[in-house]
């Protein structure tokens, strides 16, 4: 089975997330908010005093749990 990935881009506040959630719901897809994932990993790195250019930040991302 071929998997379809849909990416929606646009300016801040234009309704991207709202549209993406609705499209996913209508198509029976999983909605994945990668922006929220990025912000969560950045916060975790900052709280640990790790710069985002550091290899340690990459290790945090690889070890991240999506629960």
């Amino acid at each position: 089975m071929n998997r379809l990935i849909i990416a929606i881009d646009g300016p801040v506040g234009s309704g991207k997330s709202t549209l993406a959630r609705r499209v996913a719901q209508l198509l029976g897809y999983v909605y994945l908010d990668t922006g929220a994932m990025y912000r969560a990993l950045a916060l975790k790195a900052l709280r640990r005093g790790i710069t985002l250019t550091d290899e340690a930040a990459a290790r945090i991302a690889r070890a991240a749990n999506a629960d």
Side-chain angles (χ1 to χ4, degrees):
M1 178 176 163
N2 290 334
R3 295 182 345 180
L4 181 63
I5 297 172
I6 300 171
I8 300 173
D9 196 12
V12 172
S14 62
K16 298 178 299 290
S17 294
T18 301
L19 175 65
R21 282 186 193 95
R22 183 69 177 134
V23 168
Q25 180 184 40
L26 290 171
L27 295 176
Y29 282 24
V30 172
Y31 169 69
L32 180 63
D33 186 346
T34 56
M37 291 171 51
Y38 171 80
R39 290 186 296 277
L41 289 173
L43 178 60
K44 187 173 187 175
L46 291 171
R47 285 183 173 168
R48 292 185 178 189
I50 299 168
T51 62
L52 297 181
T53 58
D54 193 322
E55 174 58 29
R59 283 194 301 276
I60 286 175
R62 285 191 292 272
N65 194 341
D67 292 339

